[in-house]
Each structure stands twice: as structure tokens, then as C-alpha cells.
Amino acid sequence: MLRYERDDRVRITNTGTDTLAKDTLVKVGNWVGVPFEDILPGEEGILMVRGVFDVPVADSSVEIASGTVLQYAGNGKVKPYDESDNTNPKVGKAFKAKASGGETVYITLMPELY
């Protein structure tokens, strides 16, 4: 049976041993997104994969211009796209600029990039 899911959310199962915390950027299988609510190990939950979110950056000293393609950097952080990094997927674009010293950036998540 086919099940309709909104195109900005996917239902995932947390197969890890740690809780996927609400309002954090996570990578689950081929998806990168923000859990709608805490997802306990072994439980199903909703991962928001499209929208604008304020997420931590890997290097706060780096300036990021609006529209810059961003890449998952691990540990719930993003960085400007680095084509030599084949491990981490592109996840979206900077929604607005981030100055040097800023700890977070607003990102528009775009699953079509990965």
C-alpha cells in the first residue's frame, strides 16, 4: 500500500543508540534534516527535510554569503560546500549571510541537492 507523506517531511526509524534530538540537524541514512520531536532509539519519527532552520556551523570564523551551497559537516553542523569532501552531502543553501564569528547560519534545506 502506498502511503502519502508531505514532501517536506519523511518518516524515519532511529536505528542508532542515541536519541535524535528535536531542533538539531541530523543525518539518518540518506536523509539530512531536523527531527520534529525527539526520536528515541528504535522508534519512528518525522524528519523535516525542507524548510529554513538556524543550524550550527563547523567553523565560526568563516563568512558565508547568502545563497552559498552548504554541506553537512558532521555532528549536526554545516560548512560551505567543499567538492573534495566526498563523504558528506550538500544539504541546502544559506538563507542569509553569516558574518565571521557567528556560530549559526540560516539554511534552506534542499533534499534535491543530495
Side-chain angles (χ1 to χ4, degrees), residues 22-107:
K22 173 183 178 178
D23 297 332
T24 61
L25 188 68
V26 298
K27 183 173 184 289
V28 180
N30 292 328
W31 294 103
V32 178
V34 177
F36 184 70
E37 294 183 332
D38 288 352
I39 306 172
L40 301 174
E43 298 291 325
E44 279 192 349
I46 299 294
L47 189 67
M48 296 178 288
V49 296
R50 193 179 302 276
V52 177
F53 299 92
D54 190 20
V55 300
V57 293
D59 183 352
S60 63
S61 68
V62 174
E63 290 183 17
I64 298 175
S66 178
T68 298
V69 175
L70 299 173
Q71 180 175 28
Y72 189 70
N75 294 326
K77 298 180 180 182
V78 295
K79 64 181 181 178
Y81 175 63
D82 174 3
E83 65 183 41
S84 67
D85 181 350
N86 315 0
T87 306
N88 295 304
K90 295 182 258 183
V91 294
K93 292 185 178 182
F95 184 72
K96 63 181 187 178
K98 181 203 83 68
S100 177
E103 298 289 326
T104 64
V105 63
Y106 281 94
I107 180 176

